[in-house]
Amino acid sequence: MTPRVVVLLATFDGMAYLPDQLRTIVDQQGVQVRVVASDDGSSDGTAQWLAETAACDPRLTVLPARRCGSPAANFFRLLLEAGTDDDELVALADQDDLWYPDKLATGATRIAAGAAAVSSDVMAFTADGRRSYIAKSSPQRRFDYVCEGPGPGSSFLFTHDLVTVCRTLLADPDGPMRQMTYHDWALYAAARGAGLRWDILPAPTLDYRQHAANVMGARTGLHAYADRLRLVRSRWHRTQAGLAAATAACAGAARAGDTTALRDLEQLLADTSVPARWALARHAGQLRRRRGDQAALAAMVIAGIW
């Protein structure tokens, strides 16, 4: 049977790129696609364009207007309110990327082989023609989801099992998943915490557009490193890691001992004493996928920077 996919599209002032992106979604090969969009109070005509397009194309549905305030909140709304069937696969879409024609079919094949969710490496590109390969597919570690996501949410495809997990977690407005800044990291933590198999494909499935309005992108260079260091020193990333651990623990880890281990990690992440820093540093090999990132994390934890 041809896989059926519902694509959850979050928009905000996206008219510069949205028509091209939507075309690459509805033209996907080897799958049946429908799109549910939620606009976050655009002022550039995005909402009107979506409504006019939906009136002409039954594959597009638009949720009633509502201000969400962030991409994560907008995607969480879509997960909660977009009607999804048990046998439909679910994908997330930003408003400004360009999907490869076989993106969804490639992911559906991996899901048919046993994965509950897939993401992938991506090819970043800029308006001036620069392209750079963004690899996210290093071998997964036991708790890598506590400290990082599996790639951009726009590369995600997953089963209804993860939708069910997310709806349970998001039902609590004060729960840890609701407090996470990035929806893609939050979904990864929820899935892995629930014991669902997540595959990260070692090849790009989309062109990942980089521009000034990116909430999170593939920025490189000294300014990007300086911004990341500022987030590290402010303890933002460490706080988000604690929320990811709590999200995973609330999802109910399937593997024996993971829930207890996650609660222990939560406590270490909340404790900046010297003994706690050394204890947390010993977990660095399980908290990041790439060896260089593991070493950097351990060093920053011991030094009290992270």
Side-chain angles (χ1 to χ4, degrees):
M1 296 179 61
T2 302
R4 298 168 58 232
V5 183
V6 54
V7 178
L8 307 184
L9 170 64
T11 65
F12 176 70
D13 285 350
M15 278 307 301
Y17 312 111
L18 180 57
D20 288 340
Q21 162 69 316
L22 186 60
R23 191 174 302 111
T24 69
I25 294 173
V26 298
D27 287 346
Q28 286 289 295
Q29 300 171 358
V31 294
Q32 294 182 30
V33 175
R34 67 184 183 93
V35 181
V36 180
S38 171
D39 185 69
D40 193 12
S42 293
S43 59
D44 69 342
T46 294
Q48 180 181 356
W49 184 86
L50 284 170
E52 292 173 350
T53 303
C56 302
D57 191 336
R59 294 173 295 181
L60 174 62
T61 302
V62 183
L63 295 182
R66 181 191 301 172
R67 187 78 174 98
C68 298
S70 71
N74 204 359
F75 277 113
F76 291 160
R77 181 204 181 190
L78 282 160
L79 285 165
L80 287 169
E81 298 183 17
T84 55
D85 297 334
D86 291 350
D87 61 347
E88 281 185 309
L89 301 179
V90 180
L92 307 183
D94 295 334
Q95 63 190 6
D96 49 8
D97 300 322
L98 296 172
W99 288 10
Y100 298 170
D102 61 348
K103 173 188 183 296
L104 295 180
T106 299
T109 298
R110 187 61 69 96
I111 287 175
V118 297
S119 57
S120 74
D121 296 344
V122 297
M123 183 66 72
F125 74 104
T126 60
D128 60 6
R130 289 176 293 151
R131 298 175 69 83
S132 56
Y133 191 97
I134 308 298
K136 294 293 184 179
S137 53
S138 299
Q140 291 164 285
R141 309 296 177 177
R142 184 182 179 188
F143 296 119
D144 67 305
Y145 55 87
V146 171
C147 281
E148 61 181 322
S154 52
S155 70
F156 290 9
L157 181 69
F158 47 90
T159 67
H160 202 269
D161 290 340
L162 181 52
V163 176
T164 300
V165 171
C166 290
R167 286 175 177 169
T168 300
L169 293 171
L170 293 171
D172 180 1
D174 299 317
M177 188 173 184
R178 287 272 195 175
Q179 299 176 57
M180 292 193 68
T181 302
Y182 295 130
H183 59 281
D184 37 18
W185 186 1
L187 263 71
Y188 186 49
R192 293 285 303 280
L196 301 177
R197 175 180 143 190
W198 192 299
D199 290 356
I200 307 176
L201 307 180
T205 58
L206 62 104
D207 284 346
Y208 185 45
R209 190 188 302 271
Q210 303 298 294
H211 53 82
N214 281 125
V215 173
M216 180 178 67
R219 295 177 59 212
T220 58
L222 292 178
H223 289 297
Y225 285 116
D227 287 344
R228 292 189 181 103
L229 181 59
R230 175 179 54 80
L231 290 174
V232 166
R233 294 184 67 88
S234 70
R235 302 299 172 92
W236 171 87
H237 189 267
R238 185 171 178 139
T239 299
Q240 290 293 306
L243 291 170
T247 296
C250 289
R255 289 184 298 187
D258 273 13
T259 300
T260 300
L262 284 165
R263 293 305 187 191
D264 291 343
L265 276 174
E266 277 188 79
Q267 293 182 7
L268 289 176
L269 287 162
D271 186 348
T272 58
S273 67
V274 172
R277 282 164 24 202
W278 280 97
L280 184 59
R282 286 195 289 271
H283 290 284
Q286 296 300 322
L287 292 173
R288 296 300 298 257
R289 292 191 291 275
R290 297 192 302 180
R291 294 192 182 278
D293 292 341
Q294 296 166 12
L297 177 62
M300 288 191 293
V301 168
I302 292 172
I305 299 173
W306 189 81

